[in-house]
Amino acid sequence: MLLKAVVTEKSMKEAQNKRYTFAVTLAATKPRIKRAVEEIFGVKVLKVHTLRLDDVKKAIVQIDPKQSIDLWKKD
């Protein structure tokens, strides 16, 4: 479902506003993306926007302003 976090200058600026960008599978739906982000990162997702460019699909996820996602954390 979630393939990887998209790390660009623009996406890092958006992360300051609690909007995180992920590359997702083409079959991913907004409800499934929301559920996956909430389960993996333990945050409350408020909105999911998707964008499809050729053979790539991105999801921009808005989370609760009191929470954050650490994209650099290693398990």
Side-chain angles (χ1 to χ4, degrees), residues 56-70:
V56 177
K57 188 171 185 179
K58 294 182 185 178
I60 302 167
V61 179
Q62 175 80 41
I63 66 168
D64 187 303
K66 297 174 185 157
Q67 299 177 317
S68 65
I69 294 175
D70 184 0

Side-chain angles (χ1 to χ4, degrees), residues 26-68:
L26 293 177
T29 62
K30 289 180 181 183
R32 291 175 68 194
I33 294 166
K34 177 181 178 178
R35 197 172 321 119
V37 171
E38 289 180 340
E39 288 176 7
I40 293 169
F41 297 104
V43 295
K44 173 69 176 155
V45 175
L46 302 178
K47 293 182 184 178
V48 177
H49 298 281
T50 57
L51 174 67
R52 185 170 173 176
L53 304 168
D54 295 326
D55 59 346
V56 177
K57 188 171 185 179
K58 294 182 185 178
I60 302 167
V61 179
Q62 175 80 41
I63 66 168
D64 187 303
K66 297 174 185 157
Q67 299 177 317
S68 65

